[in-house]
Amino acid sequence: MPTVAAHVASALAAHVDHVFGVMGNGNALVLDALERRDDVTFTAVRHEAGGVVAADAHHRAGGGLAAATSTYGAGFTNTLTALAEAAQARVPLVLVVGDEPTSGPRPWDVDQLSLASAVGVRTYTVGRTDAAATTVIAIEHALSFRIPVVLAIPYDVGGRDAGEIPATPDPVLPAPLAPTDPHALATVSAVARALAAAERPLLLAGRGAWTAGAGGQLGRLADAVGALTASTALGRGVFPRGEYDLGVTGGFGAEGAMAAIREADVVVVFGASLNQFTMRFGELFSPGATIAQVDVAAAATHPQVGRYLRADAALAARAIADELEQLEVTPSGWREAVDVAGLRTYDVGDALAPDGRLDPRSVAAAIAGLLPEDRVVVSDGGHFIGWANMFWPVASPDRMMMIGTAYQSIGLGFPSVPGAARARPESTIVLTTGDGGGLMAIADLESAVRVARGRGLAVVWNDGAYGAEVHLYGVMGLARGPMEIPEVDFAGLARAVGAEGVIVRTLDDLQALARWRDLPADERPFLLLDLRVSGAVRAPYQEEILQVNLRR
């Protein structure tokens, strides 16, 4: 007879095609049940946090429900940082875990329900008679609220006979929130009139606009009023007309582009939370600008917002554009008068910094010209995150992900690669990570090499330090010893697990990347570039953070 674990696997497999994780006592039976199916693939990683990270990256690169698994106890507690990141980033994910037996906790068991709750994640526990139904309920919760859930299987339940696997209903998901109530319709009209009267209109979009599929309607709206556009770091590429797009906002943005944004007199924000980094700590928009925000949050998320429309970004953009058509608006002409390409230019520095090591700006710009066009960029957290965001363009928001930044974490880079690679088997996966975060995640260097193979490229910004701390607390005079890392040979570590590792000390050394790119994918190894960069070059976004802290 099918077991409880088989019921869970069957219900889960109806909604996912990949599961990531590490096998242990608590999840062995459900993994066995998954392995016996031909409609779902299990990809092993080497650390339980990596399982959640890989599932998270799989969702961000390919959409759909993410799925990971770990054992109970130490396996589960190892997932918590990655689980917190997924919760903060609003990733729909099911983490299938073992749990203490129904007879009560053993000496090594911990209160997993409370631990999950502490990072904002609900737990659903299956029983012998309701395993499939409970799995569907958990999936429904994850998809409806765009949030991770834990699906717990008590140790003495997973192997019990549960009868024939029942037919289970599909999850019932809420419809996109349309702006149909009187207040919403009045706000749509007010926003449309403000855009119609604007001399310098701007549209700003974030990841929420992408997940809503709003790109086409946002392009229509921008054309209707002659608006310039810009995006958050996680919304890059959402607007269809790049010739009028000022690029990423906040500390990653080019100074000229940010100056143009500050000239906007009417700004409408779609699917972006307007966090302190996007807003340049309150300096992004002019104090006199009219700011409207469209989001599904309960209320506006920044004090500068004057009008708030709670609605799906795509439906709201369409409603506003429809209203503008009725008003017979003449486009402002602002965007045609602005040298957008010139405003988006960054300072690339010199080939080498004064200390003789690579200037990260120049090497980032050089790498941009050598990367395969069909690429997905995955970023760990750390001081280096600005370089990829500034210099490596991507085609759409699902091709640039920063896993760790929502929770301000580092060390989630290497396991992002297998998740993105499974979601995008035709694309090159480009990881950008630092030496601190790279060492923290080193167990899953092997996972990245094994899964991505010739479509995988890791760029390690090796400056011998936790750079963000150096550029903030080091400047403040704190002892630098705890911030420093002895120089590590990441190229050698890569070679040890079957990759090609190259130490890059000059721009000429990047010819290794050019040669690798020009090989057929099935003839290439995974490539790791160990960039020996200067720790003296401070990223512009880090300069903003420093100045804010110095004013306190």
Side-chain angles (χ1 to χ4, degrees):
M1 295 289 286
T3 63
V4 167
H7 281 226
V8 170
S10 176
L12 185 64
H15 302 282
V16 304
D17 53 12
H18 282 82
V19 179
F20 302 86
V22 179
M23 182 180 180
N25 290 346
N27 64 342
L29 295 177
V30 75
L31 273 176
D32 175 73
L34 288 168
E35 282 284 291
R36 294 176 186 277
R37 303 183 62 88
D38 57 11
D39 54 355
V40 64
T41 299
F42 172 67
T43 298
V45 295
R46 302 307 173 207
H47 192 283
E48 288 88 356
V52 176
V53 171
D56 182 337
H58 189 269
H59 163 77
R60 298 197 205 197
L65 179 69
T69 184
S70 79
T71 189
Y72 49 68
F76 173 73
T77 55
N78 273 347
T79 69
L80 286 174
T81 294
L83 196 61
E85 162 65 18
Q88 296 278 349
R90 311 294 295 185
V91 173
L93 183 150
V94 175
L95 173 60
V96 183
V97 301
D99 205 350
E100 65 184 43
T102 58
S103 56
R106 300 157 296 184
W108 54 84
D109 284 315
V110 294
D111 186 351
Q112 297 183 182
L113 189 151
S114 294
L115 289 167
S117 179
V119 296
V121 175
R122 178 176 293 186
T123 297
Y124 291 87
T125 302
V126 306
R128 185 179 63 82
T129 61
D130 67 352
T134 299
T135 302
V136 173
I137 292 170
I139 291 169
E140 183 173 279
H141 184 93
L143 291 172
S144 295
F145 298 99
R146 299 193 62 82
I147 193 77
V149 297
V150 170
L151 185 67
I153 306 175
Y155 185 66
D156 58 344
V157 168
R160 297 186 67 180
D161 290 341
E164 293 301 321
I165 297 174
T168 53
D170 289 333
V172 178
L173 306 179
L177 186 60
T180 54
D181 65 80
H183 176 73
L185 291 173
T187 305
V188 166
S189 181
V191 171
R193 289 195 303 272
L195 283 171
E199 295 180 2
R200 296 176 301 281
L202 175 80
L203 303 184
L204 170 62
R207 182 167 169 256
W210 171 256
T211 58
Q217 292 297 330
L218 290 175
R220 176 187 168 210
L221 182 56
D223 288 344
V225 298
L228 286 170
T229 63
S231 68
T232 68
L234 297 180
R236 295 170 62 196
V238 68
F239 288 100
R241 300 193 67 175
E243 69 269 31
Y244 298 125
D245 192 78
L246 293 168
V248 65
T249 58
F252 299 155
E255 281 302 315
M258 297 308 96
I261 288 175
R262 196 165 172 84
E263 293 178 5
D265 57 357
V266 176
V267 180
V268 186
V269 181
F270 292 86
S273 64
L274 298 179
N275 63 41
Q276 60 183 349
F277 305 110
T278 295
M279 291 294 287
R280 305 191 86 183
F281 299 91
E283 298 296 320
L284 183 65
F285 303 133
S286 166
T290 297
I291 314 297
Q293 184 184 24
V294 178
D295 204 272
V296 294
T301 59
H302 196 277
Q304 277 188 262
V305 173
R307 290 190 180 274
Y308 183 69
L309 175 59
R310 186 167 185 251
D312 173 83
L315 297 181
R318 183 173 67 187
I320 296 168
D322 288 346
E323 186 87 6
L324 285 164
E325 281 188 0
Q326 295 182 19
L327 294 174
E328 298 183 353
V329 174
T330 300
S332 68
W334 184 39
R335 65 184 187 179
E336 288 80 11
V338 172
D339 176 15
V340 175
L343 293 176
R344 290 185 59 168
T345 301
Y346 292 99
D347 178 7
V348 300
D350 299 313
L352 299 177
D355 61 5
R357 294 172 71 94
L358 284 165
D359 186 317
R361 297 167 297 182
S362 64
V363 72
I367 288 172
L370 297 171
L371 291 175
E373 184 175 351
D374 182 2
R375 60 180 177 267
V376 175
V377 179
V378 295
S379 178
D380 196 359
H383 173 255
F384 62 88
I385 61 174
W387 309 131
N389 275 283
M390 293 166 66
F391 291 101
W392 301 351
V394 292
S396 56
D398 56 344
R399 290 175 173 268
M400 175 68 196
M401 64 196 73
M402 294 188 291
I403 299 185
T405 55
Y407 189 51
Q408 299 293 289
S409 170
I410 70 171
L412 305 182
F414 281 120
S416 302
V417 174
R422 292 295 192 212
R424 294 278 187 170
E426 77 290 349
S427 301
T428 298
I429 311 302
V430 184
L431 169 67
T432 175
T433 188
D435 49 343
L439 288 171
M440 200 176 290
I442 201 67
D444 279 308
L445 169 59
E446 184 276 336
S447 303
V449 172
R450 168 171 40 89
V451 176
R453 300 181 185 275
R455 294 184 301 105
L457 166 67
V459 177
V460 181
W461 305 87
N462 192 349
D463 61 0
Y466 295 103
E469 283 68 28
V470 167
H471 289 292
L472 179 57
Y473 299 110
V475 171
M476 294 180 177
L478 274 66
R480 292 178 63 102
M483 309 173 196
E484 295 174 344
I485 302 170
E487 189 164 81
V488 172
D489 182 2
F490 281 90
L493 292 171
R495 289 191 289 270
V497 291
E500 178 183 353
V502 177
I503 295 175
V504 179
R505 291 191 172 91
T506 70
L507 295 184
D508 289 341
D509 294 334
L510 290 176
Q511 287 306 306
L513 173 56
R515 292 190 295 270
W516 178 86
R517 178 202 58 195
D518 293 339
L519 289 172
D522 58 359
E523 296 180 14
R524 297 189 307 218
F526 188 100
L527 176 64
L528 184 145
L529 299 178
D530 183 348
L531 307 182
R532 302 299 170 86
V533 296
S534 172
V537 179
R538 185 177 300 123
Y541 86 91
Q542 189 72 47
E543 183 66 34
E544 287 186 357
I545 295 171
L546 174 62
Q547 294 306 316
V548 168
N549 279 271
L550 290 176
R551 289 197 296 266
R552 290 176 177 170

